[in-house]
Amino acid sequence: MNRVLVTTDYLRPGDEVDEYLRSAGLETVHAPLLGRRDPGQLVAALDRIDAALVAATEPLTAEVLARAPRLRVVVRTGVGYDSIDVAAAARLGISVSNLPGVNANAVAEYTLGLLLAGARRLVQSASGVAQGKWPREDGHELRGSTLGLIGYGASARAVVPLAQAFGMTVLCTTGVPSGDPGVRFVELPELLSTSDYVSVHTSLTERTRGLLNAQAFQLMKPTALLVNTARGAIVDEDALAAAVRDGEISGAVLDVVGEEPLPADSPLRGIDGIVVFSHLAGQTAEARRAAGLRGAEELVAALAGRARFVVNGEK
């Protein structure tokens, strides 16, 4: 019987995903990722495991994969897979799959929520009231402003009609522009210099790592707000902290950071205008259910040699 490791934190023994996997003749082992897990712990969890349904930040490095000789299939219950060494997996004959678009609507709605929270300084207002104050600073309306999208995958495309409903003009920079008549596709410098809000939706690659650095922030408007629901490492956090502190941009609302949970010594802490949330963009009940079930289906298909969303080539 094939053994499946499940590390996604919202999947539990006895839930419908577990029942689906067991009905397919698989034995499940649950080891939810809560916070950080060192490589030794992960290697131990992968002992005698044939397939894994894994969380976003599970560090499946080349060293870890090499010490899991039975592992043949890895499925991410989401879109990003930058925590997995997909090249090493390919060399070892391990198929790696993701679930494109599975939480696009959840991320899009959340993005608009972050835009509103940042524009109206909602977190700062609520924090002030909790401290016994009564802050009455003004904010900004989204209507009439320009939103710049970095990347144009499923979540960014889902943002477009929501932003347009608020009366925003939408720009986008991407390596694969589409024919969307509601979006103007521009190069990154133009997007940064003309957008009132910049929202990150691109994947983390060597090209995009540190893409938003000191030079990028210097191009942005001093009134601009950065929103990131993609991957923390796309943003140079030291440069961002300096840019907000020095007034180069007005602030940032981040759902993702370079190291999660946010370290106590992070440069992002203690800066008025920077708000960090706990990687919640895709975490709705609806998106979680879809990701769990679609992930289980992909895992079963991959074990049978019929994977649909392999990201590291044919095995």
Side-chain angles (χ1 to χ4, degrees):
M1 179 182 291
N2 286 321
R3 302 180 79 233
V4 176
L5 175 68
V6 180
T7 75
T8 301
D9 59 356
Y10 55 82
L11 299 178
R12 295 285 186 268
D15 65 13
E16 60 183 336
V17 171
D18 190 48
E19 290 179 1
Y20 178 89
L21 294 170
R22 289 181 177 275
S23 69
L26 305 174
E27 178 186 351
T28 57
V29 179
H30 286 74
L33 179 64
L34 303 170
R36 300 183 181 92
R37 184 173 1 233
D38 66 43
Q41 292 173 314
L42 183 52
V43 168
L46 287 166
D47 183 43
R48 297 182 298 115
I49 293 295
D50 301 282
L53 198 58
V54 300
T57 57
E58 196 70 86
L60 290 171
T61 63
E63 294 74 19
V64 167
L65 293 170
R67 295 172 65 185
R70 279 180 50 172
L71 188 64
R72 293 187 288 127
V73 169
V74 173
V75 177
R76 260 283 293 119
T77 48
V79 180
Y81 51 89
D82 47 276
S83 63
I84 305 170
D85 190 328
V86 293
R91 291 194 298 270
L92 293 165
I94 302 168
S95 88
V96 178
S97 294
N98 71 338
L99 305 174
V102 71
N103 57 12
N105 186 69
V107 173
E109 291 185 1
Y110 188 80
T111 297
L112 265 292
L114 297 189
L115 289 171
L116 287 166
R120 302 299 296 269
R121 293 180 60 85
L122 299 181
V123 173
Q124 292 88 340
S125 175
S127 296
V129 172
Q131 296 165 13
K133 305 173 185 177
W134 196 248
R136 298 277 295 159
E137 296 179 44
D138 62 9
H140 295 279
E141 298 177 19
L142 299 184
R143 181 169 298 278
S145 65
T146 297
L147 171 64
L149 302 175
I150 298 178
Y152 204 56
S155 65
R157 292 194 299 272
V159 166
V160 173
L162 303 182
Q164 290 172 335
F166 275 89
M168 305 180 83
T169 297
V170 182
L171 307 180
C172 179
T173 186
T174 176
V176 190
S178 78
D180 190 333
V183 178
R184 187 162 69 89
F185 293 91
V186 299
E187 295 300 318
L188 180 61
E190 181 179 351
L191 180 142
L192 293 175
S193 64
T194 58
S195 295
D196 300 294
Y197 303 90
V198 174
S199 185
V200 185
H201 296 272
T202 191
S203 57
L204 176 62
T205 65
E206 287 310 306
R207 183 185 65 82
T208 62
R209 186 179 296 275
L211 178 69
L212 295 176
N213 54 21
Q215 292 73 30
F217 297 129
Q218 288 168 4
L219 291 174
M220 293 172 65
K221 297 179 179 182
T223 54
L225 179 78
L226 175 68
V227 171
N228 188 6
T229 58
R231 284 292 183 266
I234 295 169
V235 176
D236 180 329
E237 294 178 352
D238 289 309
L240 173 61
V244 176
R245 187 172 55 245
D246 298 342
E248 288 186 341
I249 66 173
S250 72
V253 186
L254 310 173
D255 189 51
V256 288
V257 289
E259 182 179 347
E260 299 179 4
L262 186 68
D265 61 352
S266 169
L268 302 173
R269 290 189 181 276
I271 297 180
D272 184 39
I274 296 181
V275 178
V276 179
F277 292 91
S278 54
H279 203 153
L280 295 172
Q283 304 306 306
T284 63
E286 295 83 357
R288 283 181 166 185
R289 183 172 187 269
L293 288 173
R294 281 179 54 184
E297 291 168 357
E298 177 71 2
L299 185 146
V300 171
L303 282 172
R306 299 191 300 272
R308 296 166 295 170
F309 305 115
V310 177
V311 298
N312 64 338
E314 296 294 328
K315 302 296 160 294

